[in-house]
Coordinates of all heavy atoms in Angstrom, one line a residue:
M6 N 156.3 188.4 104.5 CA 156.2 187.1 104.0 C 155.0 186.9 103.1 O 153.9 187.4 103.4 CB 156.1 186.1 105.2 CG 156.1 184.7 104.8 SD 156.2 183.6 106.2 CE 157.7 182.8 105.9
N7 N 155.2 186.3 102.0 CA 154.1 186.1 101.1 C 153.2 184.9 101.5 O 153.7 183.9 101.8 CB 154.7 185.8 99.7 CG 155.3 187.0 99.1 OD1 154.9 188.1 99.3 ND2 156.4 186.7 98.3
T8 N 151.9 185.2 101.5 CA 151.0 184.2 101.9 C 150.6 183.5 100.6 O 150.9 184.0 99.5 CB 149.7 184.8 102.5 OG1 149.1 185.6 101.5 CG2 150.1 185.6 103.7
E9 N 149.8 182.4 100.7 CA 149.3 181.7 99.5 C 148.4 182.6 98.7 O 148.4 182.5 97.5 CB 148.6 180.4 100.0 CG 148.1 179.5 98.8 CD 147.5 178.2 99.3 OE1 147.8 177.8 100.4 OE2 146.7 177.7 98.5
K10 N 147.6 183.4 99.4 CA 146.7 184.3 98.8 C 147.5 185.3 97.9 O 147.1 185.6 96.8 CB 145.9 185.0 99.8 CG 144.8 185.9 99.2 CD 144.0 186.5 100.3 CE 142.9 187.4 99.7 NZ 142.0 188.0 100.7
D11 N 148.6 185.8 98.4 CA 149.5 186.8 97.7 C 150.1 186.1 96.4 O 150.1 186.7 95.4 CB 150.6 187.3 98.5 CG 150.1 188.2 99.7 OD1 149.1 188.8 99.6 OD2 150.9 188.3 100.7
L12 N 150.5 184.9 96.6 CA 151.1 184.1 95.5 C 150.1 183.8 94.4 O 150.3 184.0 93.2 CB 151.8 182.8 96.0 CG 153.0 183.0 96.9 CD1 153.4 181.7 97.4 CD2 154.1 183.7 96.2
R13 N 148.9 183.5 94.8 CA 147.8 183.2 93.9 C 147.5 184.4 93.1 O 147.3 184.4 92.0 CB 146.6 182.6 94.7 CG 145.5 182.1 93.8 CD 144.5 181.4 94.5 NE 145.1 180.2 95.1 CZ 144.5 179.2 95.7 NH1 143.2 179.3 95.9 NH2 145.0 178.2 96.2
K14 N 147.4 185.6 93.8 CA 147.1 186.9 93.2 C 148.2 187.2 92.2 O 147.9 187.7 91.1 CB 147.0 188.0 94.3 CG 146.8 189.4 93.7 CD 145.4 189.6 93.1 CE 145.2 191.0 92.8 NZ 144.8 191.3 91.4
S15 N 149.4 187.0 92.5 CA 150.6 187.3 91.6 C 150.4 186.4 90.4 O 150.6 186.9 89.2 CB 151.9 187.0 92.3 OG 152.1 187.9 93.3
L16 N 150.1 185.2 90.5 CA 149.9 184.3 89.4 C 148.8 184.7 88.5 O 148.9 184.8 87.3 CB 149.7 182.8 89.9 CG 149.5 181.8 88.7 CD1 150.8 181.8 87.8 CD2 149.3 180.4 89.3
E17 N 147.7 185.1 89.2 CA 146.5 185.5 88.4 C 146.8 186.8 87.7 O 146.4 187.0 86.5 CB 145.4 185.8 89.4 CG 144.1 186.2 88.8 CD 143.0 186.4 89.8 OE1 142.7 185.5 90.6 OE2 142.3 187.5 89.7
D18 N 147.5 187.7 88.3 CA 147.9 189.0 87.6 C 148.8 188.7 86.4 O 148.7 189.4 85.4 CB 148.7 189.9 88.6 CG 147.8 190.5 89.6 OD1 146.5 190.4 89.5 OD2 148.3 191.0 90.6
F19 N 149.6 187.7 86.5 CA 150.5 187.3 85.4 C 149.7 186.7 84.2 O 150.0 187.1 83.1 CB 151.6 186.3 85.9 CG 152.4 185.8 84.7 CD1 153.4 186.6 84.1 CD2 152.3 184.5 84.3 CE1 154.2 186.2 83.1 CE2 153.1 184.1 83.2 CZ 154.0 184.9 82.7
V20 N 148.8 185.9 84.5 CA 148.1 185.2 83.5 C 146.9 186.0 82.9 O 146.7 186.0 81.6 CB 147.5 183.8 84.0 CG1 146.6 183.1 83.0 CG2 148.7 183.0 84.5
V21 N 146.1 186.7 83.7 CA 144.9 187.4 83.2 C 145.3 188.7 82.6 O 146.1 189.5 83.2 CB 144.0 187.6 84.4 CG1 142.8 188.4 84.0 CG2 143.5 186.3 85.0
E22 N 144.9 189.0 81.4 CA 145.1 190.2 80.7 C 146.5 190.6 80.6 O 146.9 191.8 80.8 CB 144.2 191.4 81.3 CG 142.7 191.1 81.2 CD 141.9 192.2 81.8 OE1 142.4 193.4 81.8 OE2 140.8 192.0 82.3
N23 N 147.4 189.7 80.3 CA 148.8 189.9 80.2 C 149.1 190.0 78.7 O 149.1 189.0 78.0 CB 149.6 188.8 80.8 CG 151.1 189.0 80.7 OD1 151.6 189.6 79.8 ND2 151.8 188.4 81.6
S24 N 149.3 191.2 78.2 CA 149.5 191.4 76.7 C 150.7 190.6 76.2 O 150.7 190.1 75.1 CB 149.6 192.9 76.4 OG 150.7 193.5 77.0
D25 N 151.8 190.6 77.0 CA 152.9 189.8 76.5 C 152.6 188.3 76.4 O 153.0 187.7 75.4 CB 154.1 190.0 77.5 CG 154.7 191.4 77.5 OD1 154.6 192.0 76.5 OD2 155.2 191.8 78.5
L26 N 151.9 187.8 77.4 CA 151.5 186.4 77.3 C 150.6 186.1 76.2 O 150.7 185.1 75.5 CB 150.9 185.9 78.6 CG 150.7 184.5 78.9 CD1 152.0 183.7 78.8 CD2 150.1 184.2 80.3
E27 N 149.6 187.0 75.9 CA 148.7 186.9 74.8 C 149.4 186.9 73.5 O 149.1 186.1 72.6 CB 147.6 187.9 74.9 CG 146.7 187.8 76.0 CD 145.7 189.0 76.2 OE1 145.7 189.9 75.3 OE2 145.0 189.0 77.2
R28 N 150.4 187.8 73.4 CA 151.2 187.9 72.1 C 152.0 186.5 71.9 O 152.0 186.0 70.8 CB 152.1 189.0 72.2 CG 152.9 189.2 70.9 CD 153.8 190.5 71.0 NE 154.6 190.5 69.8 CZ 155.9 190.1 69.8 NH1 156.4 189.5 70.9 NH2 156.6 190.1 68.7
L29 N 152.6 186.1 73.0 CA 153.3 184.8 72.9 C 152.4 183.7 72.5 O 152.8 182.8 71.7 CB 154.0 184.5 74.3 CG 154.8 183.3 74.4 CD1 156.0 183.3 73.4 CD2 155.3 183.1 75.8
E30 N 151.2 183.6 73.1 CA 150.3 182.5 72.7 C 149.9 182.6 71.3 O 149.8 181.6 70.6 CB 149.0 182.7 73.6 CG 149.2 182.2 75.0 CD 148.0 182.4 75.9 OE1 147.0 183.0 75.4 OE2 148.0 181.8 77.0
S31 N 149.7 183.8 70.7 CA 149.3 183.9 69.3 C 150.5 183.5 68.4 O 150.3 182.9 67.4 CB 149.0 185.4 69.0 OG 150.1 186.3 69.0
L32 N 151.7 183.8 68.8 CA 152.9 183.3 68.1 C 153.0 181.8 68.1 O 153.3 181.2 67.2 CB 154.2 184.0 68.6 CG 154.3 185.5 68.4 CD1 155.5 186.0 69.1 CD2 154.3 185.8 66.9
V33 N 152.7 181.2 69.3 CA 152.9 179.8 69.5 C 151.9 179.1 68.6 O 152.1 178.0 68.0 CB 152.8 179.4 70.9 CG1 152.6 177.9 71.1 CG2 154.0 179.9 71.7
T34 N 150.7 179.6 68.5 CA 149.6 179.0 67.7 C 150.0 179.0 66.2 O 149.5 178.2 65.5 CB 148.2 179.5 68.0 OG1 148.2 180.9 67.7 CG2 147.8 179.3 69.4
Q35 N 150.8 180.0 65.9 CA 151.2 180.1 64.5 C 152.3 179.2 64.2 O 152.3 178.6 63.1 CB 151.6 181.6 64.2 CG 150.5 182.6 64.3 CD 151.1 184.0 64.2 OE1 152.2 184.2 63.8 NE2 150.2 185.0 64.6
F36 N 153.2 179.1 65.0 CA 154.4 178.2 64.8 C 155.0 177.7 66.1 O 155.2 178.5 67.0 CB 155.5 179.1 64.1 CG 156.7 178.3 63.8 CD1 156.9 177.4 62.8 CD2 157.9 178.6 64.6 CE1 158.0 176.7 62.6 CE2 159.1 177.9 64.4 CZ 159.1 177.0 63.4
N37 N 155.2 176.4 66.1 CA 155.8 175.8 67.3 C 156.9 174.9 66.9 O 156.7 173.8 66.3 CB 154.8 175.0 68.1 CG 155.3 174.4 69.4 OD1 156.5 174.3 69.6 ND2 154.4 174.0 70.3
I38 N 158.2 175.3 67.1 CA 159.3 174.6 66.7 C 159.3 173.1 67.2 O 159.7 172.2 66.5 CB 160.7 175.3 67.1 CG1 161.9 174.6 66.4 CG2 160.8 175.3 68.6 CD1 162.0 174.6 65.0
F39 N 158.8 172.9 68.4 CA 158.8 171.6 69.0 C 157.7 170.7 68.2 O 157.9 169.5 68.1 CB 158.4 171.6 70.4 CG 159.5 172.3 71.3 CD1 159.2 173.5 71.9 CD2 160.8 171.8 71.3 CE1 160.2 174.2 72.6 CE2 161.8 172.5 72.0 CZ 161.5 173.7 72.7
D40 N 156.7 171.3 67.7 CA 155.7 170.6 66.9 C 156.3 170.2 65.6 O 156.2 169.0 65.1 CB 154.5 171.5 66.6 CG 153.2 170.9 66.9 OD1 153.1 169.7 67.2 OD2 152.2 171.6 66.9
V41 N 157.1 171.1 65.0 CA 157.7 170.8 63.7 C 158.7 169.7 63.8 O 158.7 168.8 62.9 CB 158.5 172.1 63.2 CG1 159.3 171.8 62.0 CG2 157.5 173.2 62.9
I42 N 159.5 169.6 64.9 CA 160.5 168.5 65.0 C 159.9 167.3 65.7 O 160.7 166.3 65.9 CB 161.8 169.0 65.7 CG1 161.5 169.5 67.1 CG2 162.4 170.1 64.8 CD1 162.8 169.8 67.9
G43 N 158.6 167.3 66.0 CA 158.0 166.1 66.6 C 158.4 165.9 68.0 O 158.5 164.8 68.5
A44 N 158.7 167.0 68.8 CA 159.2 166.9 70.1 C 158.3 167.6 71.2 O 158.8 168.0 72.2 CB 160.6 167.4 70.2
V45 N 157.0 167.7 70.9 CA 156.2 168.4 71.8 C 156.2 167.9 73.2 O 156.2 168.6 74.2 CB 154.7 168.4 71.3 CG1 153.8 169.0 72.3 CG2 154.6 169.2 70.0
R46 N 156.3 166.6 73.4 CA 156.2 165.9 74.7 C 157.5 165.3 75.1 O 157.6 164.3 75.8 CB 155.1 164.9 74.8 CG 153.7 165.6 74.5 CD 152.6 164.6 75.0 NE 151.3 165.2 74.6 CZ 150.7 166.1 75.3 NH1 151.2 166.6 76.4 NH2 149.5 166.5 74.9
Q47 N 158.6 165.8 74.6 CA 159.9 165.2 74.8 C 160.8 166.2 75.6 O 161.5 167.0 75.1 CB 160.6 164.8 73.5 CG 159.8 163.8 72.8 CD 160.4 163.3 71.5 OE1 161.6 163.6 71.3 NE2 159.7 162.7 70.7
E48 N 160.7 166.1 77.0 CA 161.4 167.0 77.8 C 162.9 167.2 77.6 O 163.4 168.3 77.7 CB 161.1 166.7 79.3 CG 161.6 167.7 80.3 CD 161.3 167.3 81.7 OE1 160.3 166.6 81.9 OE2 162.0 167.7 82.6
L49 N 163.5 166.1 77.3 CA 165.0 166.2 77.1 C 165.4 167.0 75.9 O 166.3 167.8 75.9 CB 165.6 164.8 76.9 CG 165.5 163.9 78.2 CD1 166.1 162.5 77.9 CD2 166.3 164.6 79.3
R50 N 164.5 167.0 74.8 CA 164.8 167.9 73.7 C 164.6 169.3 74.1 O 165.3 170.2 73.6 CB 163.9 167.4 72.5 CG 164.4 166.2 71.9 CD 163.8 165.9 70.6 NE 164.3 164.7 70.1 CZ 163.9 164.1 69.0 NH1 163.0 164.8 68.2 NH2 164.4 163.0 68.5
H51 N 163.5 169.6 74.9 CA 163.3 170.9 75.3 C 164.5 171.5 76.1 O 164.9 172.6 75.9 CB 162.1 171.0 76.2 CG 160.8 170.7 75.5 ND1 159.6 170.7 76.1 CD2 160.5 170.3 74.2 CE1 158.6 170.4 75.3 NE2 159.2 170.1 74.1
S52 N 165.0 170.6 77.0 CA 166.2 171.0 77.8 C 167.4 171.2 76.9 O 168.1 172.2 77.1 CB 166.5 169.9 78.8 OG 165.4 169.7 79.7
D53 N 167.6 170.4 75.9 CA 168.7 170.5 75.0 C 168.6 171.9 74.3 O 169.5 172.6 74.1 CB 168.7 169.4 74.0 CG 169.2 168.1 74.6 OD1 169.8 168.1 75.7 OD2 169.0 167.0 74.0
F54 N 167.3 172.2 73.9 CA 167.1 173.4 73.2 C 167.4 174.7 74.1 O 168.1 175.6 73.6 CB 165.7 173.5 72.6 CG 165.3 174.8 72.0 CD1 165.8 175.1 70.7 CD2 164.6 175.8 72.6 CE1 165.5 176.3 70.0 CE2 164.2 177.0 72.0 CZ 164.7 177.2 70.7
L55 N 166.9 174.6 75.3 CA 167.2 175.7 76.2 C 168.7 175.8 76.5 O 169.2 176.9 76.6 CB 166.4 175.5 77.5 CG 164.9 175.8 77.4 CD1 164.3 175.4 78.7 CD2 164.7 177.2 77.1
A56 N 169.4 174.7 76.7 CA 170.8 174.7 76.9 C 171.5 175.4 75.7 O 172.4 176.2 75.9 CB 171.4 173.3 77.1
Y57 N 171.1 175.1 74.5 CA 171.6 175.7 73.3 C 171.4 177.2 73.3 O 172.3 178.0 73.0 CB 171.0 175.0 72.1 CG 171.3 175.7 70.7 CD1 172.4 175.4 70.1 CD2 170.4 176.6 70.2 CE1 172.7 176.0 68.8 CE2 170.7 177.2 69.0 CZ 171.9 176.9 68.3 OH 172.1 177.5 67.1
M58 N 170.2 177.6 73.6 CA 169.8 179.0 73.5 C 170.6 179.8 74.6 O 170.9 181.0 74.5 CB 168.3 179.2 73.7 CG 167.5 178.7 72.5 SD 168.0 179.5 70.9 CE 167.5 181.2 71.2
L59 N 170.8 179.2 75.8 CA 171.4 179.9 76.9 C 172.9 179.9 76.8 O 173.6 180.7 77.5 CB 171.0 179.2 78.2 CG 169.6 179.4 78.6 CD1 169.2 178.4 79.8 CD2 169.3 180.8 79.0
N60 N 173.5 179.2 75.9 CA 175.0 179.2 75.7 C 175.4 180.3 74.7 O 175.1 180.1 73.4 CB 175.4 177.8 75.2 CG 176.9 177.7 75.1 OD1 177.6 178.7 75.0 ND2 177.4 176.4 75.0
P61 N 176.0 181.3 75.1 CA 176.3 182.4 74.2 C 177.4 182.0 73.2 O 177.6 182.7 72.2 CB 176.9 183.5 75.1 CG 177.3 182.8 76.4 CD 176.4 181.6 76.5
Q62 N 178.0 180.9 73.3 CA 179.1 180.4 72.4 C 178.5 179.7 71.2 O 179.2 179.4 70.3 CB 180.0 179.5 73.2 CG 180.7 180.1 74.4 CD 181.5 181.4 74.0 OE1 182.3 181.3 73.0 NE2 181.4 182.4 74.8
R63 N 177.2 179.3 71.3 CA 176.6 178.6 70.2 C 176.4 179.5 68.9 O 176.5 180.7 69.1 CB 175.3 177.9 70.6 CG 175.5 176.9 71.7 CD 176.4 175.7 71.4 NE 176.0 175.0 70.3 CZ 175.5 173.8 70.4 NH1 175.3 173.2 71.5 NH2 175.2 173.1 69.3
N64 N 176.0 178.9 67.8 CA 175.9 179.6 66.6 C 174.5 180.2 66.3 O 174.2 180.5 65.1 CB 176.4 178.8 65.4 CG 175.5 177.6 65.2 OD1 174.6 177.3 66.0 ND2 175.7 176.9 64.1
H65 N 173.7 180.5 67.3 CA 172.4 181.0 67.1 C 172.4 182.5 66.8 O 171.5 183.1 66.4 CB 171.4 180.8 68.2 CG 172.0 181.0 69.6 ND1 172.5 182.2 70.0 CD2 172.3 180.1 70.6 CE1 172.9 182.1 71.3 NE2 172.8 180.9 71.6
G66 N 173.6 183.1 67.0 CA 173.8 184.5 66.6 C 173.3 185.5 67.7 O 173.2 186.8 67.4
L67 N 172.8 185.0 68.8 CA 172.3 185.9 69.8 C 173.2 186.3 70.9 O 173.0 187.1 71.7 CB 171.0 185.3 70.5 CG 169.8 185.0 69.5 CD1 168.8 184.2 70.3 CD2 169.3 186.3 69.0
G68 N 174.4 185.6 70.9 CA 175.3 185.9 72.0 C 174.7 185.6 73.4 O 174.0 184.6 73.5
D69 N 174.8 186.5 74.3 CA 174.2 186.3 75.6 C 172.8 187.0 75.7 O 172.2 187.1 76.8 CB 175.1 186.7 76.7 CG 175.4 188.2 76.8 OD1 174.9 188.9 75.8 OD2 176.0 188.7 77.7
A70 N 172.3 187.5 74.6 CA 171.0 188.3 74.7 C 169.9 187.5 75.2 O 169.1 188.0 76.0 CB 170.7 188.9 73.3
F71 N 169.7 186.3 74.7 CA 168.6 185.4 75.2 C 168.7 185.2 76.7 O 167.7 185.4 77.4 CB 168.6 184.1 74.5 CG 167.5 183.1 74.9 CD1 166.3 183.3 74.4 CD2 167.8 182.1 75.8 CE1 165.2 182.4 74.8 CE2 166.7 181.3 76.2 CZ 165.5 181.4 75.7
A72 N 169.9 184.8 77.2 CA 170.1 184.6 78.6 C 169.8 185.8 79.5 O 169.2 185.8 80.5 CB 171.5 184.0 78.9
R73 N 170.4 186.9 79.0 CA 170.2 188.2 79.6 C 168.7 188.6 79.8 O 168.2 189.0 80.8 CB 170.8 189.3 78.9 CG 172.0 189.8 79.4 CD 172.6 191.0 78.5 NE 174.0 190.9 78.5 CZ 174.7 191.5 79.4 NH1 174.2 192.2 80.3 NH2 176.0 191.4 79.4
K74 N 167.9 188.5 78.7 CA 166.5 188.8 78.7 C 165.7 187.9 79.6 O 164.8 188.4 80.3 CB 165.9 188.8 77.2 CG 164.6 189.3 77.1 CD 164.5 190.8 77.3 CE 163.1 191.3 77.1 NZ 163.0 192.7 77.5
L75 N 166.1 186.6 79.5 CA 165.4 185.7 80.4 C 165.6 186.0 81.9 O 164.7 186.0 82.7 CB 165.9 184.2 80.1 CG 165.3 183.1 81.0 CD1 163.8 183.0 80.8 CD2 166.0 181.8 80.7
L76 N 166.9 186.3 82.3 CA 167.2 186.6 83.6 C 166.6 187.9 84.1 O 166.1 188.0 85.2 CB 168.7 186.6 83.8 CG 169.4 185.3 83.8 CD1 170.9 185.5 83.8 CD2 168.9 184.4 84.9
Q77 N 166.5 188.9 83.1 CA 165.8 190.2 83.5 C 164.4 189.9 83.8 O 163.8 190.5 84.7 CB 166.0 191.1 82.3 CG 167.4 191.7 82.1 CD 167.5 192.5 80.9 OE1 166.6 192.5 80.0 NE2 168.7 193.2 80.8
R78 N 163.8 189.1 83.0 CA 162.3 188.8 83.2 C 162.1 188.0 84.5 O 161.2 188.3 85.3 CB 161.8 187.9 82.0 CG 160.4 187.7 82.0 CD 159.5 188.9 81.8 NE 158.1 188.5 81.7 CZ 157.1 189.3 81.9 NH1 157.4 190.5 82.3 NH2 155.9 188.9 81.9
V79 N 163.0 187.1 84.8 CA 162.8 186.3 86.0 C 163.0 187.3 87.3 O 162.2 187.2 88.2 CB 163.9 185.2 86.1 CG1 163.9 184.6 87.5 CG2 163.5 184.1 85.1
V80 N 164.0 188.1 87.2 CA 164.2 189.0 88.3 C 163.0 190.0 88.4 O 162.6 190.3 89.6 CB 165.6 189.8 88.1 CG1 165.7 191.0 89.1 CG2 166.7 188.9 88.3
S81 N 162.6 190.5 87.3 CA 161.4 191.4 87.3 C 160.2 190.7 88.0 O 159.5 191.3 88.8 CB 161.1 191.8 85.9 OG 159.9 192.5 85.9
L82 N 159.9 189.5 87.6 CA 158.8 188.8 88.1 C 159.0 188.4 89.6 O 158.1 188.4 90.4 CB 158.5 187.5 87.3 CG 158.0 187.7 85.9 CD1 157.9 186.4 85.2 CD2 156.6 188.4 85.9
A83 N 160.2 188.1 90.0 CA 160.5 187.8 91.4 C 160.3 189.0 92.3 O 159.8 188.8 93.4 CB 161.9 187.3 91.5
G84 N 160.5 190.2 91.7 CA 160.3 191.4 92.5 C 158.8 191.7 92.7 O 158.5 192.4 93.6
Q85 N 157.9 191.1 91.9 CA 156.5 191.3 92.0 C 155.9 190.3 93.0 O 154.8 190.5 93.4 CB 155.9 191.1 90.7 CG 156.3 192.1 89.6 CD 155.7 191.8 88.3 OE1 154.8 191.0 88.1 NE2 156.2 192.5 87.3
V86 N 156.6 189.3 93.4 CA 156.0 188.2 94.3 C 156.2 188.7 95.7 O 157.0 189.3 96.1 CB 156.7 186.9 94.0 CG1 156.2 185.8 95.0 CG2 156.4 186.4 92.6

């Protein structure tokens, strides 16, 4: 069973010296689609965007690749907790 200490350590490991997170942060500071469309603090628009990206039938050209990668990442992180 995971203790609070274990969960805190997992979160710290994810945030501290995470090259993927650092790369993502550098990309976000360069360009933020939600900033561009004036929706930084509009949760419903964020949800709409995620629904669009997760639907392989939409015209984003990614098929199910976005949903697959997201689920792979979630499963990978869940295995670390």
Side-chain angles (χ1 to χ4, degrees):
M6 181 174 241
N7 291 327
T8 65
E9 184 177 335
K10 185 177 180 179
D11 293 335
L12 294 174
R13 190 171 292 187
K14 174 73 171 123
S15 294
L16 180 59
E17 183 179 309
D18 290 345
F19 174 72
V20 174
V21 176
E22 295 183 30
N23 181 332
S24 60
D25 290 333
L26 192 56
E27 289 172 10
R28 182 173 174 269
L29 181 60
E30 285 176 350
S31 73
L32 292 173
V33 169
T34 58
Q35 294 172 15
F36 177 78
N37 182 344
I38 187 67
F39 298 114
D40 234 350
V41 172
I42 64 173
V45 172
R46 301 195 184 279
Q47 297 180 17
E48 185 177 332
L49 293 178
R50 288 194 180 174
H51 294 182
S52 297
D53 290 344
F54 177 74
L55 286 173
Y57 172 82
M58 293 302 296
L59 290 168
N60 184 341
Q62 304 299 317
R63 298 304 298 256
N64 66 347
H65 46 61
L67 297 173
D69 67 354
F71 180 82
R73 255 180 214 277
K74 189 66 176 172
L75 177 64
L76 289 173
Q77 287 171 351
R78 184 70 174 155
V79 167
V80 168
S81 171
L82 291 173
Q85 295 175 12
V86 175

